[in-house]
Amino acid sequence: MFTYGIMPPLMFVGMILFMLYGFPVAFSLAAVGLFFGVIGILTGHFDPVFLQALPHRFFGIVSNDLLLAIPFFTFMGAILERCGLAEDLLEGTGKLFGAIPGGLAYAVIVVGAILGAITGTVAASVITMGVISLPIMLRYGYNQRLATGVIAASGTITQLIPPSLVLVVLADQLGRSVGDMYLGAIGPSLLQVAIFLVFILILSIVRPKDMPPLPPEVRGELDMKLLFKVLAGMIPSIVLIFLVLGTIFMGLATPTEAGALGVVGAMALAAMHRRLTWPLIRQGMSSTMHITSMVVFILIGSTCFSLVFQGMDGSLWIEHLLTGLPGGPIGFLIFVNIFIFILAFFLDFFEIAFIVIPMLAPVAQALGIDLIWFGVLICINMQTSFMHPPFGFALFYLRSIAPREVKTTDIYMGALPWLVMQLILVAVVIFWPQSVTHWLDKGPQVDPNSINIIVPGFGENTGDQMPNFGLPPIGSDDKGNTQLPGLSLPALDGLPGEQPAGGEQKPEQKPKVDLSQPPIIQ
């Protein structure tokens, strides 16, 4: 425990105490880091020069182009939250599935996945679907716990489905490509949607009274008009998804550029729905400013803490603790996920990503764990931070817009089955890593030891033998001195520029090398 001294554990405990006291996380991290930085200088752990790296780290944060994707995606989600797209999708999809038991629940899950792929923010998805769907579901006999649970869970899918803000932050902290992180999240996000749909299917068979179909006068007839209405809501969403994700996967745009394209597409959709107004833009800018400034301040505080923590050999302490866990990489992953599951009761996903992930990433890399797989796995686990009773943010969002007759205990109890399903997905991804790695483009696999370069035109020189370029082999001269070809100078006969004493100047001997042919690489 104290192999590397008492300072690393004291720093960790100090950080936890500050957060339990309720002091803002960004300032807690910076205060603990600077306080122990002074102690580290006084106790001789490092020189004062060590802290001169802080300004460079601060500049690296504010000049990081990748983090520009956060305000772009946040602003895009803020506009789409108010542009009317979700209303059209939910109304059309609800009527499309309304004839079967659980039809509205199916619609909420499908629309939640689509909104997750175009907004990237949990608050927008949960609030929008709660305002539209929850009164309808309660009016037509849905169980309160089921209705609130499916809305909260379908909103948290946004955490995992690209272009999730969590994946952007994790890619930055793990030093990996955002595009690869998005590709790795495709499989688990599809599995999550499938698990939710299967759960609704089983419940509709076992307890159909908890989710009755809509009456015919509400859902209307399944005709071309309804299908056209559903497609009218789907097609703009698909176009926007291509603008954001398609351009990243095809290599046409960086995540930051794709976020800018998404903002333009969101504003175009708002204009199509005649809701693009200055108040809407001003509200979107205000929420974007708050989230972005919060992220930057947490990053500055966390980099201050992590620099001093490394100076105190904290990274070696963490690695020493975690690499000795029983079970190897699987034991490490199980421990880390339990640890993050507990932290998610108290910390936001930004705080977990900026504080905990930099400590865990070197250990995961030392154990040979693929960091893309590790990042996606952590992202799945951090979904639970929005569903934890009593501090889950998705539950708070839902409580703020739910009717008074919906009890808070019903919201909390309704979240528990969906929380279990999210943990099931964590276990599936741990024991089936191909669900993440299958989607990654690994490129051609080439063994460097199998590469053989053959340069034609050297006569009898083949294989590993070096060409002699017309020089004599290694040997000795008449006086017994060793001669190395290419490293000895020819004897001068007279001064440079004069003809040798023997008579006419001999033509220059050129090496027998045919340089007109390119080298052959096998």
Side-chain angles (χ1 to χ4, degrees):
M1 180 70 178
F2 301 109
T3 306
Y4 293 94
I6 196 173
M7 288 300 175
L10 278 179
M11 281 194 72
F12 202 75
V13 171
M15 176 189 69
I16 294 174
L17 289 177
F18 262 92
M19 292 182 180
L20 290 177
Y21 181 73
F23 205 65
V25 174
F27 305 118
S28 298
L29 292 171
V32 172
L34 293 176
F35 177 74
F36 278 91
V38 174
I39 293 178
I41 293 172
L42 295 177
T43 55
H45 278 82
F46 46 77
D47 293 328
V49 180
F50 181 74
L51 295 182
Q52 291 182 2
L54 276 178
H56 298 284
R57 287 195 167 207
F58 295 162
F59 180 77
I61 291 170
V62 297
S63 61
N64 190 345
D65 291 339
L66 177 61
L67 295 179
L68 275 176
I70 293 177
F72 280 134
F73 287 134
T74 305
F75 187 52
M76 181 182 72
I79 292 178
L80 290 172
E81 180 184 349
R82 303 171 176 87
C83 77
L85 178 65
E87 288 89 337
D88 292 345
L89 281 173
L90 279 170
E91 184 181 355
T93 312
K95 290 181 178 180
L96 190 64
F97 294 107
I100 59 176
L104 284 178
Y106 290 126
V108 166
I109 294 172
V110 172
V111 173
I114 295 173
L115 288 179
I118 60 178
T119 63
T121 54
V122 173
S125 297
V126 173
I127 292 174
T128 302
M129 290 189 297
V131 169
I132 300 168
S133 301
L134 185 58
I136 299 175
M137 296 174 83
L138 297 178
R139 185 184 309 148
Y140 293 106
Y142 271 67
N143 181 277
Q144 287 189 2
R145 294 183 179 181
L146 172 65
T148 55
V150 71
I151 291 172
S154 60
T156 58
I157 298 177
T158 304
Q159 288 286 93
L160 181 60
I161 296 179
S164 165
L165 293 180
V166 184
L167 294 173
V168 175
V169 174
L170 288 173
D172 177 68
Q173 294 299 301
L174 293 172
R176 290 296 182 265
S177 163
V178 175
D180 287 345
M181 197 70 76
Y182 282 172
L183 283 171
I186 290 176
S189 58
L190 294 176
L191 281 174
Q192 185 77 90
V193 173
I195 291 172
F196 287 171
L197 292 175
V198 169
F199 177 71
I200 293 297
L201 175 63
I202 294 173
L203 276 185
S204 66
I205 297 172
V206 176
R207 299 166 60 183
K209 293 183 179 180
D210 287 348
M211 51 184 79
L214 291 177
E217 62 273 10
V218 175
R219 66 175 185 263
E221 296 293 332
L222 184 58
D223 52 12
M224 293 302 298
K225 184 178 179 180
L226 179 58
L227 290 176
F228 178 78
K229 186 172 184 177
V230 173
L231 290 176
M234 290 284 188
I235 292 175
S237 306
I238 294 171
V239 172
L240 190 57
I241 290 171
F242 173 77
L243 277 177
V244 176
L245 298 181
T247 52
I248 295 176
F249 295 156
M250 295 173 65
L252 300 176
T254 65
T256 303
E257 294 166 346
L261 287 172
V263 170
V264 174
M267 295 179 73
L269 283 177
M272 288 171 55
H273 289 81
R274 298 180 180 179
R275 297 192 182 184
L276 185 61
T277 59
W278 282 116
L280 182 145
I281 295 176
R282 190 162 45 248
Q283 291 172 10
M285 287 182 174
S286 177
S287 61
T288 302
M289 179 187 66
H290 281 92
I291 292 176
T292 305
S293 58
M294 177 193 71
V295 169
V296 171
F297 274 108
I298 292 177
L299 265 175
I300 290 174
S302 65
T303 195
C304 181
F305 178 87
S306 64
L307 178 66
V308 177
F309 194 67
Q310 290 176 11
M312 297 286 192
D313 293 329
S315 57
L316 298 176
W317 174 64
I318 294 289
E319 185 173 348
H320 172 72
L321 288 179
L322 298 183
T323 52
L325 292 172
I330 297 297
F332 167 76
L333 290 173
I334 292 174
F335 170 81
V336 164
N337 279 279
I338 294 174
F339 177 60
I340 290 180
F341 179 79
I342 295 172
L343 282 181
F345 277 97
F346 313 103
L347 299 180
D348 184 43
F349 69 90
F350 280 125
E351 297 158 4
I352 294 174
F354 292 142
I355 300 170
V356 180
I357 300 304
M359 299 180 187
L360 300 178
V363 183
Q365 198 161 15
L367 291 172
I369 296 172
D370 185 278
L371 290 185
I372 297 293
W373 173 41
F374 182 69
V376 173
L377 181 63
I378 297 302
C379 180
I380 298 169
N381 197 331
M382 284 198 292
Q383 282 188 108
T384 61
S385 67
F386 283 85
M387 295 290 290
H388 277 317
F391 303 116
F393 284 101
L395 307 182
F396 289 160
Y397 299 146
L398 195 57
R399 175 68 276 175
S400 66
I401 54 92
R404 292 184 178 180
E405 61 266 20
V406 177
K407 298 179 181 179
T408 303
T409 54
D410 287 335
I411 294 177
Y412 288 164
M413 295 302 294
L416 293 180
W418 306 91
L419 185 63
V420 171
M421 283 183 274
Q422 290 173 341
L423 295 177
I424 289 173
L425 182 62
V426 171
V428 169
V429 173
I430 288 178
F431 294 102
W432 186 31
Q434 291 79 9
S435 61
V436 175
T437 59
H438 172 75
W439 300 87
L440 299 177
D441 182 14
K442 300 180 180 61
Q445 301 297 318
V446 178
D447 182 8
N449 297 321
S450 65
I451 299 176
N452 186 21
I453 302 176
I454 301 175
V455 180
F458 292 114
E460 297 178 359
N461 293 292
T462 57
D464 295 332
Q465 182 180 355
M466 291 295 294
N468 58 22
F469 297 98
L471 298 173
I474 298 176
S476 302
D477 57 12
D478 296 337
K479 298 180 181 180
N481 298 321
T482 302
Q483 291 181 336
L484 297 176
L487 298 181
S488 59
L489 295 173
L492 289 176
D493 189 1
L495 295 175
E498 294 183 358
Q499 290 190 357
E504 297 181 357
Q505 186 175 0
K506 296 181 181 180
E508 183 181 355
Q509 297 293 327
K510 296 181 179 180
K512 298 178 180 180
V513 180
D514 183 9
L515 297 179
S516 63
Q517 300 296 323
I520 301 174
I521 300 177
Q522 295 181 343

